[in-house]
Amino acid sequence: MKKLSAALLLLSTAAIAQPYDNALTEEAIQKRIAPVGSVYLAGAESAAEAAPSGPRSGEQVYQAACFACHGTGALGAPKTADDWAPRLAKGTDVLLDHAINGFNAMPPRGTCMDCSDDEIAAAIEFMTAK
């Protein structure tokens, strides 16, 4: 029984294992020793300039930064219309100020440090309209 189990184990691992290219050609060697990534040093030319794509919609900001808490209700984050009602009663200016500067468990900008104030406002509109 032990020999049969060992044989099955050997066959299963042999079927899963990927063949290793151990060719000694120059191309194969260069491919194996190529760096995994690169480092950008200040002052050096970057490989590609990041161009702003324009303001993000409220839904895009919500999906990227807000959903983790407001989609699950984590740490008391409002997610339903009933949860938002007392916050909306204070006014949208107060709500926007809390979103930008942080309030209670809410971190400043909801951890979206590259969001503009207008994008934060759009995300609030999106969340409260649900």
Side-chain angles (χ1 to χ4, degrees):
M1 188 66 170
K2 287 183 182 179
K3 288 182 182 180
L4 179 60
S5 297
L8 288 174
L9 180 64
L10 181 63
L11 287 173
S12 66
T13 57
I16 295 172
Q18 296 290 327
Y20 179 71
D21 180 18
N22 61 354
L24 295 177
T25 64
E26 186 69 27
E27 183 180 327
I29 293 170
Q30 290 299 323
K31 186 178 175 183
R32 283 195 301 270
I33 65 171
V36 175
S38 60
V39 176
Y40 173 75
L41 300 174
E45 254 186 71
S46 64
E49 289 296 324
S53 61
R56 293 169 280 195
S57 70
E59 183 177 8
Q60 290 171 321
V61 173
Y62 171 77
Q63 292 296 332
C66 308
F67 179 76
C69 295
H70 290 280
T72 63
L75 298 172
K79 72 180 218 178
T80 65
D82 292 338
D83 297 338
W84 280 107
R87 291 163 174 89
L88 288 170
K90 294 179 182 178
T92 55
D93 291 338
V94 172
L95 195 56
L96 181 61
D97 179 61
H98 288 172
I100 291 172
N101 299 311
F103 185 74
N104 292 336
M106 166 100 175
R109 298 193 173 277
T111 69
C112 185
M113 294 304 162
D114 65 339
C115 287
S116 69
D117 292 354
D118 291 336
E119 290 173 331
I120 299 285
I124 292 170
E125 276 184 47
F126 175 78
M127 287 186 281
T128 56
K130 292 169 81 175

